[in-house]
Amino acid sequence: MEDIIKKIIVENIPDAICSFEGDSCNLRLIVISSVFTEMPLIDQHKKIMKLLEGKFQSGDLHALSLETRTS
């Protein structure tokens, strides 16, 4: 699932650097990108969660802890 998540994000945010911690039951995703510069934290998270919306709806992804940072 990590490879799929990374692919979705990088296709939409080309400079994104994605790293993962934990396992499928307690997955933490860290996304670093310049696109987040001057974007409020809530909007950064909304942007990523919107990209992964289909995976949540299908049940492929059911829990995710998210951290976003600027590069």
Side-chain angles (χ1 to χ4, degrees):
M1 180 55 66
E2 292 176 13
D3 290 337
I4 294 168
I5 292 170
K6 183 177 180 176
K7 182 176 188 260
I8 291 168
I9 292 171
V10 172
E11 283 178 352
N12 290 277
I13 306 173
D15 77 332
I17 299 169
C18 301
S19 61
F20 298 88
E21 296 175 356
D23 57 28
S24 61
C25 294
N26 190 20
L27 188 62
R28 178 183 166 125
L29 168 61
I30 301 165
V31 182
I32 303 170
S33 172
S34 62
V35 77
F36 300 138
T37 303
E38 298 188 29
M39 183 184 290
L41 183 61
I42 190 73
D43 292 338
Q44 295 173 24
H45 286 213
K46 284 180 180 179
K47 184 170 187 68
I48 298 300
M49 296 306 276
K50 182 71 174 168
L51 294 175
L52 301 175
E53 186 174 49
K55 293 298 173 192
F56 281 107
Q57 289 177 348
S58 70
D60 291 338
L61 187 59
H62 54 82
L64 181 69
S65 174
L66 178 61
E67 180 178 337
T68 53
R69 303 180 193 159
T70 59
S71 54

